Amino acid sequence: MKKGKSVIVIVLALAITALCLFTAFVGWGKSGTGAVRHIKTGLDLAGGVSITYETDEAMPSAADMGDTIQKLQHRVDQYSTESNVYQEGANRINIEIPGVTNADEILEDLGSPGSLYFIAQKDSEGNDSYKIGSSGAYELADTIENLEKKGAIVCTGADVDDAQGGIINENNTGNKYVVDLKFKASGTQKFAEATKTAYENGQTIGIYYDGEFISVPTVQSVISDGSAQITGMESMEAANQLAAYIRIGGLTLTLHEIRSNVVGAQLGQDAIRTSLIGGAIGLAIVCLIMIIIYLVPGVIAAFVLVLYTALMLLLLNAFDLTLTLPGIAGIILSIGMAVDANVIIYGRIREDITAGASVNSAIRSGFKKATSAIVDGNVTTLIAAAVLGVLGSGTIRGFALTLALGVALSMFTSLVISRLLVYAVYGVGVRKASAWARAKKEPHINFIKNAKKSFIVAGVVIGIGLVFMIVNAAQGNRALNFSLEFLGGTSTTVSFEKDYSLSELDNEVKPVIMEVTGDANVSMQKVVGSSEVIIKTRTLNVDERQQLTDKLHDKFNVDSKKVTTENISATVGAEMRRDAILAVIIAVILMLLYIVIRFRDVRFASAAVLALIHDVLVTLAAYAVLRISVGNSFIAVMLTILGYSINSTIVIFDRIREKLPTMGKNQSLRSLVNASVNQTLSRSIYTNLTTLASILVLYIVGVASIKEFTLPMMVGIVAGTFSSVCITGALWYFLRTRVGKGAKELQVREEKAELKESSDADAAPASANTASAGSAGASRSGGNPNVIRKKKKK
C-alpha cells in the first residue's frame, strides 16, 4: 500500500472509531440516540414489568398449568427473549418482562388471557349463532355451551398454532394490513369444513374472545391447508392487536389479571456500575498485554479491540437486543475470539520474521496462514449460536444472539480492519523487523510423552468433583447447589417503612434473611414507586416463614399482617431445560460434523468431543466443590466454556493439518504433533491469559451475583486451555495410531521414525560443527549466503 493511501486509511480508521465511541457513550440529539444507556437490559440489570394472573379454576391440574405457562412464555417472547413466566401458589402465574416500564400498555397489548372461539354464522339447525345488537356490535344469539351442542363452534384457541400481524401490497394498490393465521393439525380439517360451508353460502365466521367479538370476517375461499389471512384492518397496530388477542386466546386455562408492578433490577445499579468499570479495566489490561507482547501489531490489535467494543455496543442498540448476564457471557466469549484472531495472525507474523522473512512477506504469509484457523474456529461457534438461537428459549436465545453478533463482528474486525491497518502502518514507513516481532525461543515440550500424566491430572480433578457430588447428595443436600431458577422456592412480599435501595437491601436485609434460610441464594426486587420488596428464597416451610416474618418485624418494624408468602415454580422451566439440552446436543453434533468435513478425519472430532466432556466435568466439579449457585447464568457459562475449548482445539488441529502434507518419511507423527502444540502454545497462553485478566477484574470488583457468574467461567477457561494443549493433540495421536485403517502400519513406522530421530539427536553436536565449518568455508571462498536464502523463499 502506497504511503498516501496508507495515511488515508489510518485517518479514516481513527475518525470512524472516534465517531463510534462518541455515539456509544454520548449519542446524538437530545435523547442521545445510539448511546449505551439505551441498550435494552434484562430484569437482572434494569428491571421491568411484573404481571400476576390467576386462573378461574381454584385448583387447576399441573398439566394445564404447565401448558398455559409454556404458551404464555411464547407470547411474551415478542417483548423480550429474556422474559420469565413461572407459577406462584396453586393457581397463579407470574410474568416478568424486562426493559419495559408501562404495565398498563403491556396489559392492553397482551390482552386479557381468556377463551377464544371461532363460531360459524349458522348452527346445524340453520339458526343465527350471532347477530348485530342494539349497540351496533355483534352479540351471541345463545350461550357458548348451547352453540357448542348445536355444532356452531368451529374450533377454539387451542387449535391455533400462530397469528401474526403483517402488511401486503397487492397490484400496487397501497398497503393493506392483515393477520396471518395458522392452525394446528387439530384445527385444520375442522376449519376447512367450516370455510367450505361459509364460502358456498356467503357467510362469515366470527372470532369471539373474552366475552366479545373481535372480528367477524367474511369467508372468501375454502381454506384447506390451515393457513388463513384476515384482511380489513385500518392500521398495523390494529392488525398486531388482533393477532395478539388470537394468540393469547389459545391458552388452556382462562386467566384474569390480579396485579401488575414495575419492578427494579435484581442486581441493582451497583452491579451495572461495577461491571462497566470492571469491563473497562479488563479491556485496558488486554490492550496493554497485547502491546507488550506484540509491539506494533499489538498497538494495532488494541486499537481494533476498542473499535470492536464500540461497534458491538452500537449493534446491540441497533438490533434492540436485551442484555443480561448470559448475554454478557456471549460478549465475553466473542471478545475473547476477537483477541484470539489477532493473536493467531500476529503470532504467525512473528514466526516468519524470526525465521528470517522480510516484514512484508511475513505480513502476507501471516494473514494467509491464520485465515483457516480463524474461519474454522468462528464458524463452529456460529453453528452453535444458530442452533441455540433457533431451538433455545429465554436467556439461551439471548446468549446465542449476542454471541452470533459478536463472532461475526470479530471476524470482520480481525480479517478486514486489522489487515487494512497492518498494511497501512507498514505503508507509512514502520518497516523495521524489531518493531514487528521480538525473537522468541520456541518451547520443546514433549506433550505426547507427558500425556499419561495429563490424563491422570484430569481424572483426579473430575474424580474429586464426583466425590463431592456424592457426599453432598448423601448429606441430604443436592449434588449441585441449584438455585431458585431451577428449583423454585418461596416468594415473600414485604412493605418496609423505609424505601431501601438495592445496595442497602443487600447489606442490611439480606443477612437477616440468610439467618433463616442458611443460604446466600436470595433474590430481591423493589416495586417501583413504593417501599414494597419481593424477596425470593429457597422453599420455606411454615415454621421458617413465620420465623422470617418475626425477624423482619423485630429488625425493621415490618407490619406482620402485610407480609405475604407464596411458593413459586422454577423460572427455568422444564421446557427451557429440555430446549437447552437438545440445542446443545445438536450444536455439538453439527460442530463436530463441520470438523470432520474440514479436517477429513473423524478422529479430530472424536478428540474434540472427549476434550469438551472433560471441560464440562471439570467445571461441574468446581460447582460441586465450591457450592456455586447453579442459576440462570449456569447454562451460559457452560456454553461459553465449550466455545472457548472448541476454538482452542481447532487452532491446534489446524496446525497439525497444515504440517501433515509436508511430513517427511523419516519424521514421526509424534514429533509433528508435539511441534504443532508447541508452536501454538504461546497463542493458547496469551489468548486465555487476556480473557482471564478481564474476567478476573469483573470478579474482583463485581457484586455477589457477578462473582457467581465469573468464578466458574475462570475455572472452565483454565480447564479448556489445559484440555486443548495437553489432551487434544495427544488424544488425536493415540486415536490415529491405534484406531482405523492403517493404524498398525503407522505404529511400526512411528517406532522406526522415533529410533531415527533418537540417533539423529545423539549425532546433533557433530552435525552442527560440520555445518558451521561448511558455512565458514563458503564465506571464505566468496560464497553468498543471501543467495541461498532467496532460493529457500522460492
Side-chain angles (χ1 to χ4, degrees), residues 497-785:
E497 289 185 337
K498 175 185 172 182
D499 187 11
Y500 286 97
S501 66
L502 268 178
S503 59
E504 289 174 327
L505 288 171
D506 273 337
N507 295 327
E508 299 177 32
V509 180
K510 188 174 180 178
V512 175
I513 300 169
M514 288 172 59
E515 288 177 17
V516 177
T517 64
D519 182 11
N521 187 15
V522 177
S523 168
M524 289 183 282
Q525 279 180 301
K526 281 174 54 63
V527 176
V528 175
S530 74
S531 60
E532 194 170 83
V533 176
I534 302 168
I535 302 168
K536 296 175 184 176
T537 63
R538 66 167 176 78
T539 303
L540 304 179
N541 59 37
V542 176
D543 291 338
E544 287 173 329
R545 292 184 185 194
Q546 187 59 53
Q547 188 181 352
L548 177 59
T549 301
D550 291 342
K551 279 189 176 290
L552 291 173
H553 172 73
D554 295 339
K555 294 279 187 181
F556 307 105
N557 202 29
V558 166
D559 187 347
S560 302
K561 295 178 182 178
K562 293 183 179 180
V563 176
T564 60
T565 57
E566 287 284 359
N567 282 341
I568 56 174
S569 68
T571 56
V572 180
E575 186 203 11
M576 189 183 293
R577 290 197 294 271
R578 188 171 60 250
D579 287 348
I581 293 169
L582 178 64
V584 169
I585 291 172
I586 293 175
V588 169
I589 290 171
L590 291 178
M591 285 193 295
L592 298 176
L593 281 175
Y594 178 83
I595 293 172
V596 171
I597 293 168
R598 286 288 288 146
F599 291 85
R600 300 178 182 179
D601 187 346
V602 72
R603 286 163 290 205
F604 280 114
S606 302
V609 167
L610 293 171
L612 292 180
I613 293 171
H614 162 272
D615 301 339
V616 168
L617 292 177
V618 170
T619 310
L620 283 175
Y623 273 100
V625 173
L626 302 175
R627 297 301 287 170
I628 302 169
S629 179
V630 178
N632 259 337
S633 61
F634 169 77
I635 298 171
V637 167
M638 300 304 289
L639 293 173
T640 304
I641 290 162
L642 292 180
Y644 257 98
S645 178
I646 198 73
N647 192 55
S648 295
T649 298
I650 281 177
V651 172
I652 294 171
F653 285 170
D654 179 75
R655 188 65 70 104
I656 295 173
R657 174 179 60 182
E658 179 187 314
K659 285 179 170 293
L660 278 172
T662 61
M663 182 178 172
K665 288 184 179 180
N666 295 324
Q667 183 186 5
S668 70
L669 189 63
R670 174 188 295 257
S671 65
L672 184 146
V673 173
N674 279 328
S676 298
V677 179
N678 277 296
Q679 286 168 4
T680 55
L681 185 59
S682 60
R683 170 262 154 207
S684 300
I685 293 171
Y686 295 153
T687 296
N688 292 285
L689 179 65
T690 52
T691 307
L692 277 174
S694 58
I695 298 176
L696 179 61
V697 173
L698 277 176
Y699 178 80
I700 292 169
V701 304
V703 297
S705 300
I706 301 294
K707 291 181 188 292
E708 285 189 345
F709 166 68
T710 52
L711 180 58
M713 192 175 289
M714 288 190 289
V715 172
I717 289 173
V718 171
T721 305
F722 175 80
S723 68
S724 298
V725 172
C726 301
I727 292 179
T728 51
L731 276 173
W732 179 80
Y733 172 79
F734 290 128
L735 289 171
R736 182 74 178 79
T737 55
R738 287 165 174 76
V739 179
K741 189 178 178 182
K744 286 185 178 179
E745 293 83 352
L746 183 60
Q747 268 188 295
V748 174
R749 183 182 177 282
E750 278 293 287
E751 289 170 5
K752 290 180 180 178
E754 283 169 36
L755 286 172
K756 178 75 171 61
E757 286 172 3
S758 244
S759 63
D760 287 347
D762 292 338
S767 301
N769 291 333
T770 305
S772 297
S775 297
S779 181
R780 283 193 296 270
S781 62
N784 187 351

Side-chain angles (χ1 to χ4, degrees), residues 141-159:
D142 207 338
T143 64
I144 289 291
E145 290 76 13
N146 288 335
L147 289 174
E148 193 165 11
K149 290 175 183 177
K150 295 176 182 179
I153 304 299
V154 175
C155 49
T156 69
D159 298 310

Side-chain angles (χ1 to χ4, degrees), residues 20 235 307 428 529 755:
C20 290
S235 65
L307 175 60
V428 297
L755 286 172

Side-chain angles (χ1 to χ4, degrees), residues 408-429:
L409 187 59
S410 74
M411 286 182 70
F412 171 74
T413 54
S414 60
L415 294 178
V416 179
I417 304 297
S418 187
R419 183 192 295 262
L420 283 172
L421 285 174
V422 165
Y423 281 114
V425 170
Y426 179 82
V428 297

Side-chain angles (χ1 to χ4, degrees), residues 105-127:
E105 185 179 324
I106 292 293
L107 284 166
E108 183 180 347
D109 187 34
L110 191 62
S112 174
S115 299
L116 179 79
Y117 301 95
F118 290 81
I119 304 175
Q121 185 175 334
K122 301 283 186 179
D123 62 23
S124 58
E125 299 172 359
N127 300 318

